[in-house]
Amino acid sequence: MLSLICKPKTKFNFYNLRNFFSKGIKTDYLDYSHRYLPQTGKSRREMLKEMGLSSINELFSDIPKNALIDKFDKFDYDKMTEEQVFNTVNNILKKNTDVSNLPFFLGGGVYKHNVPSTVDYITQRGEFLTAYTPYQPEVSQGTLTAIFEFQTQVARITGMQVANASMYDGSTALGEAVLMACRSTRRKKVIVGGGVHPHYVQVIDSMTKFSEKVECEHMPADLHGTQIEKLIQSVDKTTACVVVQNPSFFGHIHDLERLAAACHKHKALLVVGFTEVLSLGAIQSMGEMGADIAAGEGQSIGIPMSFGGPHLGLFATSKKLMRTMPGRLVGETKDIDGKRAFVLTLGAREQHIRRDKATSNICTSSGICAVAFTVHLTSLGETGFKELAYLNHNKACKLAEKIVNEIPNIKLINDKFFNEFTIQLPFNYSSQRITKELLKEGIVAGLPLGTLYNGKFDDHLLVACTETNTDEDMDKYVSALKRKLK
């Protein structure tokens, strides 16, 4: 039978118990309502005072009033039961569109793939979920082993010699690749191809904006995938690196061997980005085509879409460039008894002794996402990885063929693609309009390109098809699209 050690002066009903926790113990040390928020009311007040502000509203005074949300001020938690709060919030969440069972053809950097239950089961184990950064190898062998396996897998699928212990996401990984290329070559000029995801380009610009050692030159959007020859001609002895994406943002698959040769001829580096890591199970890897750095997104393996994050940045390079690589590297060694062991071999970042000479400001890795990636890829194996890739490709080919054959005047832009392709709608029909109309019918039609290019390519739609799309999904999509384009 449960009992309180201290005997209260007043009758101890439910409401007194609540007051006991909210007032009886100092909330600066115990605050059950903010379990995962480290700041207490006292510390927030101290920060505001230091900034010369009297309230949190003053901190946000520059935000236009019409952009502020005040709906949650209507919640009166003190007068609501837990069940009432739960039901109220749940009714708000119901306004979101549940896409889990809808025909879903949206890609553009985040993809809907099946994540086997094995991944969740293993990653939720305490030794993985709560494991801290492995500074002390003697007590972190499990974490270090998982990271080592992850690095090995990334190096294998990208065709590179070495990979780091993961990064935040694909866009920041590609931005770090650009900075690394400039460090390694001691040159400023960076040529960014027109097939790179526009969001990735924005991140590159943000990360290099205040660096005097980087000058970015942007190629126009490569809608038709014909820009490789221009990139080859643009490389000269002042070029630090050329940045391309394969498959490109528009879905095109490129042979990059000639571009790699042109870069190396002028002692420049070829940086290849990617958003769909599953493509590496079907197409030639970056390393096989001569790339110096491969950087991109690993979300497709083991990680759900999660409204855009957290995701997983993959980064691989050559052994020659290893010491200029950002992040950390786990290596294999032997312990005092001669047994196989793992240790943090390389960690040239700001928290270590190099300080201002650190190669990167990356402070951590996406550890739990990296474990999920490793668990999923291990469960697939090399054969399963390739089979899943070809399954995606075959489904995309089937959908593209149905669209072109059954809908008059629609145009397929790509001649080669993996599981994502671009279509041009007839009669200058707005892709933004078509996606809104199909969403009303319960179909997520794809990514309207006009939203990312300021209205340009507004009649173009980027469509992704993965193993999660059934024949029924495809039939429903093509039928609805055909009806709307009449």
Side-chain angles (χ1 to χ4, degrees):
M1 183 175 180
L2 296 175
S3 63
L4 288 171
I5 296 175
C6 58
K7 188 176 181 181
K9 293 181 180 180
T10 58
K11 188 177 180 180
F12 221 100
N13 56 30
F14 170 77
Y15 297 99
N16 287 332
L17 183 63
R18 183 180 63 183
N19 292 333
F20 173 78
F21 282 115
S22 63
K23 297 179 181 179
I25 299 176
K26 293 183 178 180
T27 54
D28 289 336
Y29 301 98
L30 180 63
D31 190 345
Y32 285 95
S33 63
H34 301 91
R35 183 179 299 175
Y36 299 105
L37 300 178
Q39 301 302 333
T40 64
K42 180 181 178 182
S43 62
R44 292 188 184 95
R45 289 191 295 272
E46 289 176 350
M47 286 189 288
L48 288 170
K49 183 178 179 181
E50 186 68 24
M51 290 184 288
L53 304 174
S54 60
S55 69
I56 193 70
N57 291 331
E58 286 189 41
L59 182 62
F60 301 126
S61 60
D62 292 330
I63 300 177
K65 290 184 178 181
N66 60 356
L68 292 173
I69 300 175
D70 61 354
K71 292 181 181 178
F72 294 101
D73 292 339
K74 297 177 182 178
F75 279 71
D76 194 351
Y77 292 107
D78 290 335
K79 297 180 180 180
M80 295 174 71
T81 65
E82 179 182 359
E83 184 180 9
Q84 287 174 328
V85 173
F86 178 83
N87 290 336
T88 303
V89 174
N90 200 42
N91 287 333
I92 295 174
L93 293 175
K94 286 180 179 178
K95 295 180 180 179
N96 291 326
T97 300
D98 182 9
V99 301
S100 59
N101 296 314
L102 298 181
F104 190 91
F105 299 93
L106 178 62
V110 179
Y111 303 91
K112 184 182 179 183
H113 289 286
N114 176 56
V115 180
S117 57
T118 307
V119 174
D120 187 61
Y121 177 80
I122 294 178
T123 55
Q124 292 298 316
R125 290 178 62 92
E127 57 264 54
F128 289 124
L129 188 62
T130 62
Y132 186 59
T133 302
Y135 292 116
Q136 297 172 284
E138 65 274 13
V139 294
S140 305
Q141 284 299 296
T143 302
L144 288 166
T145 302
I147 295 175
F148 184 83
E149 294 295 333
F150 166 80
Q151 292 173 174
T152 304
Q153 290 174 335
V154 174
R156 286 282 301 275
I157 63 177
T158 58
M160 308 301 289
Q161 293 176 320
V162 62
N164 70 15
S166 83
M167 305 187 81
Y168 295 134
D169 55 33
S171 60
T172 52
L174 193 60
E176 287 285 350
V178 169
L179 295 174
M180 174 180 162
C182 292
R183 284 194 306 269
S184 302
T185 61
R186 297 182 181 179
R187 296 177 181 177
K188 293 184 177 182
K189 182 180 174 183
V190 175
I191 304 172
V192 182
V196 179
H197 194 303
H199 288 168
Y200 283 38
V201 174
Q202 290 175 3
V203 172
I204 291 173
D205 289 342
S206 296
M207 294 178 70
T208 60
K209 183 177 181 179
F210 300 103
S211 175
E212 297 178 357
K213 299 179 181 179
V214 182
E215 296 175 357
C216 288
E217 296 183 6
H218 300 290
M219 289 286 201
D222 191 16
L223 177 64
H224 296 281
T226 57
Q227 207 173 78
I228 296 298
E229 204 61 43
K230 293 181 180 178
L231 288 170
I232 292 173
Q233 296 172 6
S234 66
V235 184
D236 57 32
K237 62 181 180 180
T238 66
T239 304
C241 67
V242 176
V243 184
V244 294
Q245 181 175 317
N246 194 46
S248 77
F249 174 67
F250 302 100
H252 301 290
I253 296 175
H254 297 292
D255 182 351
L256 301 174
E257 289 187 12
R258 290 181 62 244
L259 178 58
C263 290
H264 298 156
K265 178 181 178 181
H266 296 284
K267 297 183 178 180
L269 302 181
L270 175 61
V271 177
V272 181
F274 54 92
T275 60
E276 175 54 288
V277 65
L278 187 59
S279 65
L280 297 176
I283 68 174
Q284 195 173 19
S285 70
M286 300 83 173
E288 291 174 315
M289 288 189 279
D292 300 285
I293 305 173
E297 180 58 59
Q299 174 267 327
S300 290
I301 305 295
I303 305 168
M305 294 185 289
S306 304
F307 296 97
H311 287 164
L312 175 65
L314 307 181
F315 196 106
T317 186
S318 63
K319 189 175 180 180
K320 178 182 177 182
L321 299 172
M322 179 176 65
R323 289 194 173 275
T324 62
M325 182 173 63
R328 62 174 69 95
L329 180 68
V330 172
E332 181 181 356
T333 185
K334 291 183 178 181
D335 64 12
I336 195 170
D337 298 319
K339 296 179 180 178
R340 187 185 191 214
F342 300 95
V343 67
L344 197 61
T345 302
L346 182 69
R349 59 195 186 98
E350 89 294 343
Q351 289 182 355
H352 288 179
I353 197 169
R354 297 189 68 176
R355 297 179 182 246
D356 59 314
K357 295 182 180 179
T359 57
S360 169
N361 284 325
I362 291 291
C363 299
T364 185
S365 61
S366 293
I368 195 67
C369 293
V371 172
F373 178 97
T374 298
V375 172
H376 190 181
L377 196 52
T378 300
S379 67
L380 286 170
E382 185 174 344
T383 300
F385 182 57
K386 291 180 179 179
E387 288 179 352
L388 182 59
Y390 280 105
L391 177 60
N392 272 248
H393 176 61
N394 291 336
K395 281 182 173 284
C397 288
K398 185 175 183 178
L399 176 61
E401 187 176 354
K402 285 178 67 69
I403 290 174
V404 173
N405 291 342
E406 297 183 25
I407 304 177
N409 301 315
I410 206 165
K411 183 179 180 182
L412 177 65
I413 299 300
N414 313 73
D415 56 354
K416 295 188 292 288
F417 57 86
F418 173 59
N419 67 353
E420 194 168 25
F421 53 87
T422 302
I423 55 175
Q424 184 177 14
L425 305 179
F427 319 121
N428 293 319
Y429 202 102
S430 170
S431 57
Q432 295 184 56
R433 179 181 169 188
I434 200 73
T435 53
K436 290 179 181 178
E437 290 179 355
L438 291 188
L439 186 58
K440 293 177 182 178
E441 297 189 19
I443 300 171
V444 183
L447 179 62
L449 294 183
T451 60
L452 297 179
Y453 290 97
N454 298 319
K456 192 177 181 182
F457 312 133
D458 190 46
D459 57 344
H460 288 75
L461 186 65
L462 186 64
V463 181
C465 188
T466 72
E467 79 280 2
T468 64
N469 294 116
T470 64
D471 290 347
E472 184 181 356
D473 290 338
M474 297 183 201
D475 291 339
K476 186 175 181 181
Y477 178 45
V478 174
S479 176
L481 189 59
K482 182 178 180 180
R483 188 171 64 255
K484 294 295 181 181
L485 293 176
K486 279 187 176 180

